[in-house]
Amino acid sequence: QVQLVESGGGVVQPGTSRRLSCVASGFTFSTYAMHWVRQAPGKGLEWVALISNDGSNKYYADSVKGRISISRDNSKNTLSLHMNSLRLEDTAVYYCARDKVIINPSYYFDYWGQGALVTVSS
Amino acid sequence: DIQMTQSPSTLSASVGDRVTITCRASQTIYRWLAWYQQKPGKAPKLLIYKASSLESGVPSRFSGSGSGTEFNLTISSLQPDDFATYYCQQYNSFSTFGGGTKVDIK
């Protein structure tokens, strides 16, 4: 069965960096675009970033552009999110999510990880 | 950017009720709309995509309708497992979620 398992969450200080990882299993990772979606405590969902199946295309929400980088290693079935210059408003549960459509990203998501909480606090 | 507005933000209902949640887009998104269910502490679950297509394994009491800028999610007969928060999402241009509708027990 499809599984997505995030790691790397924790408490960080403003202005610092953090890397989240998501290990995928149960499907051919290299054939799906992948996304990060976040949810601030008690708030709604916000799409953060997309990476195409082969890693050649990356897109970001305006709120994180320039501070966040998405990457993937298809040989290790791993998706990553590198977050720099973290702000208080980046505090959220970060979910990795699989695009529903094989190869061509559709921007909606059929499988989600359990989430990794990043708390930005001084 | 496309804005998504859900209404109501909270809905109180009883088991067996027919429930409808509305989602409006700030510009046309054709039928590029999905609905998700989220329970506390859990990841969202895809229910509906392309406005009215039921995701595999989702009970048939869930249905979606609409096109352009106005969309509905309907639960034909609310079950105990359906008390949750529901989000719409446009994917016509990148991705934007609505603010959510919490369905709680009346």
Side-chain angles (χ1 to χ4, degrees), chain B residues 36-79:
Chain B
Y36 298 84
Q37 176 194 67
Q38 187 180 34
K39 296 181 178 179
K42 301 294 187 181
K45 173 187 174 183
L46 178 65
L47 300 175
I48 301 281
Y49 60 95
K50 206 172 179 184
S52 61
S53 296
L54 194 68
E55 174 68 351
S56 176
V58 174
S60 59
R61 63 182 180 271
F62 291 92
S63 64
S65 64
S67 65
T69 61
E70 187 155 332
F71 301 85
N72 290 323
L73 173 71
T74 299
I75 309 172
S76 61
S77 177
L78 199 65
Q79 298 302 301

Side-chain angles (χ1 to χ4, degrees), chain A residues 12 15 30 38-39 42 53 75 77-78 86-87 95 115-118:
Chain A
V12 298
S30 62
R38 69 182 181 182
Q39 186 170 35
N53 69 297
S75 68
N77 287 359
T78 300
L86 282 162
R87 304 169 179 169
Y95 295 101
L117 175 61
V118 175

